[in-house]
RNA sequence: GGCGAAGUAGCUCAGCUGGUUAGAGCGGUGGAAUCAUAAUCCAUAGGUCGGGGGUUCAAGUCCCUCCUUCGCUACCA
């Protein structure tokens, strides 16, 4: 059995439809998962929705909907998004699942058994919108006015009984863990923020609520439901079978990496490991906080900003693989990035259509026309051929895997496109269309060289553009068994050339994109 | 206020522990080619590497300071 690899997205709060940030996270996580599969790992990718909390209950009530039924609908949008964006998740975990409740309760009891939960009173300015308490001096608004949180949301003085988690107890253990595992939080800029936060001292965390009942009931404490983050984070466990400690869970926990947005690093890098320490469970190996995808004008994306683009609409308009490629290629993973329709069109046309798609098209077309569709046989390679093999081979078996391994997704794509550029330079320099008249044997060697390189490049980029890559490999007759990083580096060409495989009339892989009319006018 | 990140060619950005004429992609310009999705290839455009000061034989690359943007965090009065 191959080595397990467990990766998760954050568990989205489906208070609205998924926006481009959700799509970005799912796509990035999926590309990493697909890469690991191509490296031979036994992968689990878990995603899902975090459906509890007061906000959800209120939104449903305002819409005069039954809460669960409302949650069903909202969750389904996220599940649909995963389907449409070709996310290869193994499980879509909902916090409203019965098994998830059982998992949350099991985690709770484990923390309780460790003496880390106690009942106390909590009072302060509570913001329903933020689902958070604020200190007296954080609140603004004079006598008789509506008090506002630092985020500008309305707050009310609230007193409630609450269970507390002894977070303070874990300060030193956390710092030790951060020190001993320098890659636990990435990128470094996020790690520094967390370090400073923890070094500044940790207060115990309120982990239950009594003001509403839409959540996982606290065991043995009627009227209390768990703080949403407790059960949301538990999804990483329940998604692979917890509380059943056998089977999937024992094989895949701890997770290799949690992919999350930079805004929720603290929950994943402080609270979550503390919960796990308390429950006696091993910690995930890494938490990676990616950046935000900003609109062209620099405004933060979000439903409240009113400029949230529908990722599914963009994917439909420009193509799922094109959309995936754009996001992962354009944005340095871990940093913020921006998008625009112009940028999508420009990037995809330049690299996918003109460089790679056209490379495949011109190569396959020549084989189709000049070799009657049969793969040319090889009678020795020239230095130029070997130089290209070396360059592409290095990209495919060293640079690109190394970048993926390091979650440097844009660098992986960059290394790939550079190898594609080299192929185009090679085909122009060798000019097989001229060799056709002077030296058909040499022409065949050139086309064979390109054929091999194109197949390797298709496999290497397939984590990012899986459908297109597979389609090309299929048309090229590349057996499924060699469509991974090891296989495609093996000697599959001669057997294929000697088989009765014959190319069909080549068809363009990536149509050139055009801006939509509105966008072009604007 | 504290801490941190960033400010490099028109645009988007690479530049690790300081060291040949500061790089890439896109865009622009000039060629070449015509197999291919009017796609490709080659060459090139000369940016005081945010401002100022300093260390050094040598600094985008270290130190100080100022300006701008952003993130985390805090709030002394």
């Amino acid at each position: 059995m191959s080595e397990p690899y467990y990766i998760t997205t954050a568990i989205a709060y489906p208070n609205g439809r998924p926006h481009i940030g959700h799509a970005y996270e799912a796509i990035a996580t999926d590309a990493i998962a697909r890469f690991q599969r191509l490296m031979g790992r036994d992968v689990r990718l878990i995603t899902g929705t975090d459906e509890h909390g007061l906000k959800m209950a209120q939104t449903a009530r305002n819409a005069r909907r039954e809460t669960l039924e409302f949650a069903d609908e909202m969750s389904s949008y996220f599940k649909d998004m995963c389907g449409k964006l070709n996310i290869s998740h193994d499980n879509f975990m909902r916090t409203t699942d019965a098994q998830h409740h059982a998992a949350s309760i099991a985690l709770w009891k484990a923390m309780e058994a460790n003496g880390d939960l106690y009942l106390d009173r909590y009072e302060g300015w509570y913001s329903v919108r933020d689902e958070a308490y604020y200190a007296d001096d954080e609140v603004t608004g004079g006598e008789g006015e509506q008090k506002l949180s630092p985020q500008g949301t309305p707050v009310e003085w609230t007193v409630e009984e609450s269970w507390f988690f002894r977070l303070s107890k874990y300060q030193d253990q956390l710092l030790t863990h951060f020190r001993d595992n320098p890659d636990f939080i990435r990128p470094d800029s996020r790690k520094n923020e967390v370090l400073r936060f923890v070094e500044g001292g940790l207060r115990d965390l309120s982990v239950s609520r009594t003001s509403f009942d839409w959540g996982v009931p606290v065991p043995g404490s009627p009227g209390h439901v768990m703080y949403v983050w407790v059960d949301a984070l538990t999804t990483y466990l329940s998604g692979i079978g917890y509380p059943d400690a056998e089977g999937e869970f024992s094989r895949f926990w701890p997770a290799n990496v949690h992919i999350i947005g930079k805004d929720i690093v603290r929950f994943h890098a402080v609270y979550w490991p503390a919960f796990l320490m308390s429950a006696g469970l091993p910690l995930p190996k890494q938490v990676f906080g990616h950046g935000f995808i900003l609109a062209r004008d620099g405004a933060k994306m979000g439903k409240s900003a009113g400029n949230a683009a529908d990722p599914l609409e963009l994917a439909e308009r420009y193509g799922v693989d094109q959309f995936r490629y754009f996001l992962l290629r354009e944005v340095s993973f871990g940093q913020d990035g921006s998008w625009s329709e112009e940028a999508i069109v420009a990037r995809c046309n330049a690299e996918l259509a003109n460089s790679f798609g056209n490379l495949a098209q011109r190569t396959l077309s020549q084989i189709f026309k000049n070799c009657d569709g049969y793969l040319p046989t090889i009678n020795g390679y020239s230095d130029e051929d070997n130089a290209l093999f070396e360059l592409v081979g290095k990209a495919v078996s060293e640079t690109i895997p190394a970048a993926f391994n390091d979650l440097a997704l844009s660098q992986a794509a960059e290394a790939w496109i550079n190898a594609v550029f080299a192929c185009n330079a090679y085909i122009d320099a060798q000019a097989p269309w001229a060799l056709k008249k002077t030296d058909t044997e040499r022409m065949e060697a050139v086309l064979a060289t390109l054929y091999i390189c194109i197949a390797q490049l298709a496999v290497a980029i397939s984590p990012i553009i899986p459908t297109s890559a597979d389609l090309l490999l299929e048309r090229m007759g590349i057996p499924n068994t060699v469509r991974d990083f090891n296989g495609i580096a093996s000697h599959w060409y001669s057997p294929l050339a000697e088989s009765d495989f014959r190319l069909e009339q080549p068809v363009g892989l990536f149509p050139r994109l055009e801006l939509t009319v509105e966008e072009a006018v604007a």
Side-chain angles (χ1 to χ4, degrees), chain A residues 356-378 381 384-385 388-389 392-393 396 416 419-420 422-424 426-427 430 432 442-460 469-479 482-483 487-507:
Chain A
F356 184 65
N358 189 235
L359 169 69
Q361 182 70 5
R362 64 202 303 210
T363 301
L364 301 191
S365 288
Q366 289 179 76
I367 294 174
F368 179 75
K369 294 199 312 202
N370 302 336
C371 308
D372 210 19
Y374 291 107
L375 303 196
T377 50
I378 300 164
Y381 291 118
E384 290 84 354
D385 305 342
L388 187 68
F389 281 134
V392 172
V396 170
W416 175 79
V420 172
C423 290
N424 272 321
Y426 166 89
I427 195 173
Q430 300 306 311
R442 177 64 197 140
M443 174 197 77
E444 292 187 341
V446 168
L447 294 176
T449 298
L450 285 165
Y451 203 88
I452 292 165
C453 289
I454 290 167
Q456 291 184 338
L457 290 168
V459 168
D470 253 352
L471 178 61
L472 177 60
L473 291 165
E474 193 63 38
R475 287 177 185 163
M476 290 175 71
I478 312 299
V482 299
R483 291 186 201 174
I488 206 62
S490 68
H491 293 287
W492 50 267
Y493 183 80
S494 292
L496 181 62
E498 285 156 19
S499 74
D500 55 4
F501 173 74
R502 196 174 174 186
L503 280 178
E504 302 283 322
Q505 168 83 53
V507 183

Side-chain angles (χ1 to χ4, degrees), chain A residues 415-442:
Chain A
W416 175 79
I417 196 66
N418 281 335
V420 172
F421 289 158
C423 290
N424 272 321
Y426 166 89
I427 195 173
D428 270 38
Q430 300 306 311
W433 49 89
L435 292 168
K436 180 173 75 170
K437 301 162 196 158
T438 59
D439 186 348
T440 56
E441 190 170 297
R442 177 64 197 140

Side-chain angles (χ1 to χ4, degrees), chain A residues 34-41 396-397 401 405 484-486:
Chain A
R34 286 178 185 273
F35 163 74
Q36 293 294 346
R37 288 195 196 97
L38 290 185
M39 293 300 279
R41 304 285 288 271
V396 170
S397 55
N405 256 322
D484 59 40
F485 278 90
N486 275 327

Side-chain angles (χ1 to χ4, degrees), chain A residues 298-368:
Chain A
K300 180 179 170 179
M301 294 304 302
K303 49 192 179 297
S304 55
N307 59 350
D310 180 353
L312 299 184
E313 197 179 309
L314 289 171
E316 196 168 318
R317 187 175 306 162
Y318 299 111
V320 171
D321 278 350
Q322 284 87 342
F323 184 55
R324 292 171 56 110
Y325 184 81
F326 169 78
L327 287 174
L328 300 189
R329 168 76 175 99
E330 186 87 359
V331 182
S332 181
F333 199 53
Q335 295 191 298
D336 290 351
S338 63
W339 74 277
S340 69
E341 301 209 37
E342 289 91 334
I344 294 172
V345 168
R347 179 68 77 179
C348 290
N349 279 345
E351 300 187 354
L352 255 24
N354 296 350
S355 291
F356 184 65
N358 189 235
L359 169 69
Q361 182 70 5
R362 64 202 303 210
T363 301
L364 301 191
S365 288
Q366 289 179 76
I367 294 174
F368 179 75

Side-chain angles (χ1 to χ4, degrees), chain A residues 49-52 67-68 71-72 75 93-101 214 216 231:
Chain A
T49 42
D50 164 23
E51 303 166 29
H52 292 311
T67 314
L68 181 57
D72 285 343
S75 178
M93 200 68 207
R94 298 183 54 188
T95 55
T96 45
D97 282 4
Q99 182 224 325
H100 178 74
H101 279 228
W214 179 239
V216 180
D231 92 272

Side-chain angles (χ1 to χ4, degrees), chain A residues 41-59:
Chain A
R41 304 285 288 271
D42 183 19
V43 173
R44 284 297 176 281
L45 164 51
I46 304 298
T47 187
T49 42
D50 164 23
E51 303 166 29
H52 292 311
L54 183 54
K55 241 187 304 189
M56 198 63 159
Q58 283 188 334
T59 309

